[in-house]
Structure formats: structure tokens, C-alpha cells
């Protein structure tokens, strides 16, 4: 069998030769030198840097900012107040669009455009309050269960399973009959039964972080369990919880619209997109565009929050980050 020698002088079989460049031609310092003058970026700093370069985040942030401005300052976009007396005139029943009324009138002679503008507030309030509530409640329960383990984890996990087995819409319908609903009350009901998904994710994330070396070092320095939980574990495990909460925000807005559409959500005296969609379905053959206006506003809002959640997930989750 024919043998050859590689660059190091060793005998190898033919076809197995390899070439190693001399060290002086590829100095290691030029490749592996660490620049100590540049401060390393934290997870949140790197995430913000990635978000600013993500067109999906920019578009969704602009749309969400517009929706929030409409919800907080509706009078910037319309001079008509649909809550005032005389806002509706039956003589304008299903009236066509005209100057000052770009979307026309509904069955009761109410201006559709002003109702779409004022309908943003209840949906945004329910979505934001519910998201904050489930983030705090679910994150706290999941973090405590994952950190302490043992019987505490067993009790909280079984409690989570019980609430997880209750359909959220069904619970909102049943419990909502006991109260005079408004946006805040409906949001609190959704929080009471919608925290389970966040709790499960928080528990798993905490359990994956709690065995890290920096936690062991903190314990060796005398930190208590609660100090480690809130100072070290939660800040490092909170990223997937934030991502899930951002994605679910649009889901809670859909739930509000669904309940209002079914007539078991916000009262009919409260202007919301779900109520207007329910009202407009009766005029689908006569004036189908009356259904498209509140539906379009609802769809754009939900799409904006879903896109924002996807952008935040790409920035915070290294496993799904696009290279």
C-alpha cells in the first residue's frame, strides 16, 4: 500500500493527507483577540437592538401606537360623540356616506365612523388590563411553584390544572352573569381564569434557570431563597413569559369582541367593536360594508399585537432568533 507524508512529517495513507498552515501565517491573536474596550450587551440591550432593526416590530409598533392614540383620544379623530343625546337620527337609517360621515349610518341612524373610533377604547382596555393581570398572577404562581418545588409545586400545579380545565369563554359567560359588566370587570374575570398558560411557562422557565451556576454562587454568598428568586431567577426567566403575554394580548381582545358579539359581554350601552359587529350582521344583505368597518378595525388591532409578539419572541428567544 502506498503511503505519503503530510506537512507534519507523519506517515498517512494516500488520500488522507491534510494541510496545516504554519502558525506564523495564521496568528491566533488576530482571530481570537477579545476587545475588552467594548462593554458586553445584556439580553435586553441586545433584544432592543434587534427590535429596532426588525421591520415587523416597526410596523406593528406604529399600528399599535395609532390604536392606543385612538382609544385614549378619540375626539382627535371625530367631532361626533356617539354617547351624547341626539347622536342617532332614525331619519338617517342606513344612510349613505356623506361629508362628515365617511362610513355612513347604521340601522338606528348612528354615525358608523364615530362608533368605530369610540369602540377602540373598551377593546384596548380589556386587552391591556387582562394581559397585565395574567402576567402578574400567572408569573407569580408559576415562579413560586418552580422555585420551591415539593408540596408547594404539587399544590400550585394541581390548582393550575383545575383552572386550565375550565374553558375561558364558558367561565366568562357564567361568571359575567353575576356582575354588571364593564371593561375593567370583564378584564378581571378573564384574569381569574386565564392565568394558567402563563403560570405553566413561568414554572418551566424558572426550573430551567434555578440550577445555573450563578444561583449556586448566590446561595454560597448567603442569599435567601426569596432573594434568589426575585433578584436572579425571575429576571433571567421572564423572557418567555413576556413573549407569551404579548402574543396573548390579541387573544383577549378577540375574547372581548366574541363575548360582546354573543350579547354576554359588555352591555349594549357600551360602544365596542363586538357589539357593532353583532348589530351589523342583520344588515349583511342590505349594507355589508357596515360589518366590514368594525371587523376591519378589530382585525388590524389583533394583527398588530400578534406581529409585535412575534417580533419580541424573535428578539428574546435565541432558539427562534433568525440569523
Amino acid at each position: 500500500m502506498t503511503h505519503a507524508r503530510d506537512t507534519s512529517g507523519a506517515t498517512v495513507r494516500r488520500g488522507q493527507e491534510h494541510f496545516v498552515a504554519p502558525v506564523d501565517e495564521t496568528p491566533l491573536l488576530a482571530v481570537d483577540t477579545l476587545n475588552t474596550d467594548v462593554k458586553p450587551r445584556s439580553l435586553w440591550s441586545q433584544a432592543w437592538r434587534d427590535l429596532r432593526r426588525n421591520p415587523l416590530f416597526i410596523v406593528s409598533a406604529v399600528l399599535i401606537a395609532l390604536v392606543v392614540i385612538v382609544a385614549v383620544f378619540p375626539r382627535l379623530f371625530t367631532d361626533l360623540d356617539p354617547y351624547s343625546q341626539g347622536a342617532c337620527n332614525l331619519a338617517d337609517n342606513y344612510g349613505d356616506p356623506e361629508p362628515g360621515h365617511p362610513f355612513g349610518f347604521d340601522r338606528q341612524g348612528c354615525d358608523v365612523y364615530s362608533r368605530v373610533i369610540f369602540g377602540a377604547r373598551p377593546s384596548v382596555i380589556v386587552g391591556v388590563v387582562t394581559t397585565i393581570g395574567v402576567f402578574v398572577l400567572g408569573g407569580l404562581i408559576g415562579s413560586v411553584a418552580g422555585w420551591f418545588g415539593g408540596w408547594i409545586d404539587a399544590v400550585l400545579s394541581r390548582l393550575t390544572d383545575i383552572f386550565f380545565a375550565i374553558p375561558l369563554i364558558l367561565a366568562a359567560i357564567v361568571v359575567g352573569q353575576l356582575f354588571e359588566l364593564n371593561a375593567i370587570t370583564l378584564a378581571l374575570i378573564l384574569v381569574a381564569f386565564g392565568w394558567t398558560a402563563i403560570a405553566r411557562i413561568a414554572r418551566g422557565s424558572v426550573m430551567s434557570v434555578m440550577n445555573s451556576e450563578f444561583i449556586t454562587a448566590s446561595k454560597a454568598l448567603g442569599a435567601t431563597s426569596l432573594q434568589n428568586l426575585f433578584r436572579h431567577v425571575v429576571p433571567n426567566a421572564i423572557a418567555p413569559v413576556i413573549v407569551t403575554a404579548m402574543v396573548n394580548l390579541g387573544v383577549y381582545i378577540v375574547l372581548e369582541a366574541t363575548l360582546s358579539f354573543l350579547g354576554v359581554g359588555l352591555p349594549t350601552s357600551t360602544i365596542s367593536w363586538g357589539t357593532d359587529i353583532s348589530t351589523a350582521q342583520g344588515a349583511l344583505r342590505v349594507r355589508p360594508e357596515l360589518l366590514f368597518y368594525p371587523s376591519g378595525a378589530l382585525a388590524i388591532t389583533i394583527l398588530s399585537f400578534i406581529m409585535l409578539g412575534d417580533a419580541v419572541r424573535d428578539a428574546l428567544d435565541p432558539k427562534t432568533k433568525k440569523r
Side-chain angles (χ1 to χ4, degrees):
M1 182 177 296
T2 305
H3 295 77
R5 293 181 180 274
D6 62 5
T7 56
S8 63
T11 302
V12 296
R13 294 182 179 181
R14 185 176 300 278
Q16 296 182 349
E17 305 90 345
H18 61 278
F19 176 80
V20 179
V23 176
D24 55 351
E25 294 184 7
T26 57
L28 297 179
L29 292 178
V31 178
D32 300 333
T33 300
L34 178 63
N35 186 1
T36 58
D37 296 332
V38 179
K39 184 179 180 180
R41 291 180 177 270
S42 64
L43 171 65
W44 303 104
S45 176
Q46 182 65 38
W48 174 240
R49 180 185 179 185
D50 294 341
L51 285 174
R52 288 180 297 175
R53 298 178 178 180
N54 190 345
L56 188 66
F57 170 75
I58 296 175
V59 173
S60 61
V62 170
L63 291 176
I64 291 174
L66 178 61
V67 172
V68 172
I69 293 174
V70 170
V72 177
F73 307 104
R75 297 186 183 276
L76 294 177
F77 301 87
T78 178
D79 295 330
L80 299 176
D81 186 358
Y83 287 105
S84 63
Q85 294 183 352
C88 302
N89 186 359
L90 288 176
D92 295 326
N93 172 266
Y94 290 143
D96 295 326
E98 59 184 47
H101 308 280
F103 293 169
F105 302 87
D106 62 8
R107 182 178 180 180
Q108 301 297 326
C110 303
D111 178 63
V112 177
Y113 173 75
S114 62
R115 291 185 65 87
V116 171
I117 295 297
F118 276 81
R121 179 175 294 178
S123 298
V124 172
I125 290 177
V126 171
V128 172
V129 173
T130 304
T131 300
I132 295 175
V134 298
F135 176 80
V136 174
L137 180 61
L140 180 61
I141 292 177
S143 299
V144 172
W147 175 254
F148 289 100
W151 67 270
I152 297 179
D153 181 26
V155 172
L156 294 179
S157 295
R158 298 296 76 78
L159 179 65
T160 302
D161 292 339
I162 292 173
F163 276 85
F164 190 79
I166 303 175
L168 183 56
I169 293 182
L170 179 60
I173 293 175
V174 174
V175 178
Q177 305 302 313
L178 304 177
F179 303 93
E180 184 177 352
L181 290 181
N182 53 42
I184 301 297
T185 306
L186 179 58
L188 293 179
I189 293 175
L190 295 179
V191 170
F193 294 92
W195 54 270
T196 54
I198 296 293
R200 286 187 167 189
I201 293 175
R203 175 180 177 271
S205 183
V206 166
M207 293 179 68
S208 65
V209 175
M210 62 184 294
N211 294 322
S212 301
E213 293 181 355
F214 66 90
I215 300 298
T216 304
S218 179
K219 290 180 179 179
L221 293 175
T224 64
S225 295
L226 289 179
Q227 288 176 337
N228 277 328
L229 176 62
F230 292 105
R231 291 183 182 179
H232 303 292
V233 176
V234 171
N236 287 278
I238 200 173
V241 181
I242 293 177
V243 171
T244 304
M246 293 296 299
V247 174
N248 287 344
L249 198 153
V251 175
Y252 300 133
I253 295 178
V254 172
L255 285 175
E256 181 276 323
T258 302
L259 294 173
S260 297
F261 176 84
L262 296 175
V264 292
L266 299 178
T268 55
S269 58
T270 301
I271 299 174
S272 69
W273 291 332
T275 303
D276 286 354
I277 293 173
S278 178
T279 303
Q281 68 173 341
L284 189 58
R285 295 184 178 181
V286 182
R287 293 288 302 278
E289 64 273 16
L290 297 182
L291 179 64
F292 296 152
Y293 296 136
S295 300
L298 179 63
I300 292 174
T301 303
I302 296 171
L303 179 62
S304 301
F305 283 108
I306 291 177
M307 291 193 302
L308 180 64
D310 290 341
V312 173
R313 179 192 58 194
D314 292 340
L316 291 179
D317 190 352
K319 296 180 181 179
T320 60
K321 188 175 294 184
K322 299 178 181 179
R323 296 297 182 183

